[in-house]
Amino acid sequence: MQVTQKNQNEVLMILSTINKKGGVGKTAFSFSIAKDLDLFLQSNDSSIIESIYPDKAKISTRPSLIDNCVYDFGGFIQSGVLDIAQASQAIIIPCTPLYNALLKTIETIQELQALKVPLMVLITDYQSLEEKEQASSTLQSNFTDLNFFFFKRSKIVENSMRKGLSFKELFLQTPLSRLHYKTFITEYQRLLDTLTQGAINERKHP
Ligand SMILES: Nc1ncnc2c1ncn2[C@@H]1O[C@H](COP(=O)(O)OP(=O)(O)OP(=O)(O)O)[C@@H](O)[C@H]1O
Ligand SMILES: [Mg+2]
């Protein structure tokens, strides 16, 4: 297994969320994943993370590489971003089905592909099966080796940031939220499981 271990029980995690396209859910997913996996959160982009995730989240123009951290990278991909992306167990790429988002996502994947880090594409904020399939087939026809996860439009994304609760915390709040968010959370749990197990095992480093 190509993973650094402090001791037998503690596996180090570094995850990066990247897409040059804005408004695709990078910050929302990064925050929720960080909180649910008890990881730090760093970002080079302004957002409310420092107030909703006190002591664990930090915004700076050049985030530093630390263990057990999710990186939320907005804007274009600078060298500092590439270094951290390279050190990550997986790169999370949220993408909405809008034409412009797909174009920017293709550009983003082209810049990240050479790193040989597993790429987790989140097709998110889609409203129909047609949108979902069109978005994933567009990306699939341009690249091989992408891992796909699907998150239909849901209030859970906005509520998470607004209430400062992770997706799992929101899901668990009431019987109604358990009902409403069930499909979303099942897929989200599959993502968390892949990030904590699969991504590490699949890492293609020598
Ligand atoms: N599954 C989903 N359901 C509902 N909204 C979603 C979903 N996925 C993404 N979104 C969108 O994500 C937005 C939150 O965006 P967020 O700030 O996390 O994006 P971002 O990629 O970090 O943007 P920026 O680059 O501007 O920082 C919501 O306002 C919503 O439009
Ligand atoms: Mg953001």
Side-chain angles (χ1 to χ4, degrees):
M1 206 158 76
Q2 301 293 328
V3 63
T4 323
Q5 290 192 324
K6 257 186 197 159
N7 59 49
Q8 287 193 324
N9 301 321
E10 198 178 351
V11 179
L12 305 182
M13 280 291 279
I14 299 164
L15 302 169
S16 294
T17 307
I18 306 178
N19 196 332
K20 299 202 281 186
K21 180 75 179 77
V24 292
K26 291 185 297 288
T27 302
F29 276 89
S30 298
F31 160 66
S32 187
I33 292 166
K35 203 166 186 204
D36 283 328
L37 296 180
D38 193 23
L39 301 170
F40 293 104
L41 175 59
Q42 288 194 67
S43 180
N44 63 355
D45 205 8
S46 62
S47 71
I48 55 164
I49 55 167
E50 286 177 332
S51 57
I52 61 174
Y53 200 35
D55 305 327
K56 299 276 269 184
K58 189 178 162 203
I59 296 171
S60 59
T61 46
R62 278 187 83 89
S64 55
L65 184 59
I66 58 166
D67 297 328
N68 299 319
C69 188
V70 180
Y71 292 86
D72 166 20
F73 288 128
F76 71 100
I77 305 169
Q78 305 146 287
S79 64
V81 171
L82 275 179
D83 292 342
I84 292 174
Q86 174 80 81
S88 303
Q89 271 88 57
I91 299 173
I92 300 156
I93 306 174
C95 174
T96 62
L98 296 176
Y99 181 69
N100 199 26
L102 286 164
L103 287 184
K104 289 273 182 204
T105 301
I106 290 169
E107 279 179 31
T108 301
I109 296 172
Q110 279 167 345
E111 292 182 36
L112 297 173
Q113 237 181 347
L115 300 180
K116 303 284 181 214
V117 175
L119 303 181
M120 309 293 163
V121 176
L122 317 185
I123 303 293
T124 190
D125 204 22
Y126 65 87
Q127 295 182 81
S128 67
L129 197 62
E130 193 190 351
E131 274 189 339
K132 171 191 176 180
E133 282 172 0
Q134 219 220 325
S136 56
S137 64
T138 301
L139 297 179
Q140 242 159 346
S141 65
N142 281 274
F143 306 100
T144 52
D145 274 359
L146 298 176
N147 303 280
F148 283 94
F149 296 86
F150 299 97
F151 298 97
K152 196 173 182 175
R153 177 170 292 181
S154 165
K155 285 205 161 44
I156 199 172
V157 176
E158 190 201 327
N159 285 344
S160 166
M161 300 281 280
R162 195 158 49 79
K163 296 185 180 175
L165 296 172
S166 73
F167 298 152
K168 272 173 93 166
E169 287 172 329
L170 272 180
F171 168 75
L172 292 171
Q173 268 198 323
T174 65
L176 201 62
S177 62
R178 286 175 196 248
L179 192 68
H180 274 144
Y181 300 146
K182 191 167 189 291
T183 310
F184 190 101
I185 284 297
T186 303
E187 186 69 348
Y188 177 64
Q189 188 61 54
R190 186 172 76 87
L191 173 65
L192 294 184
D193 291 344
T194 309
L195 292 174
T196 51
Q197 301 152 20
I200 291 164
N201 293 328
E202 279 169 29
R203 195 170 181 195
K204 294 168 191 156
H205 278 215

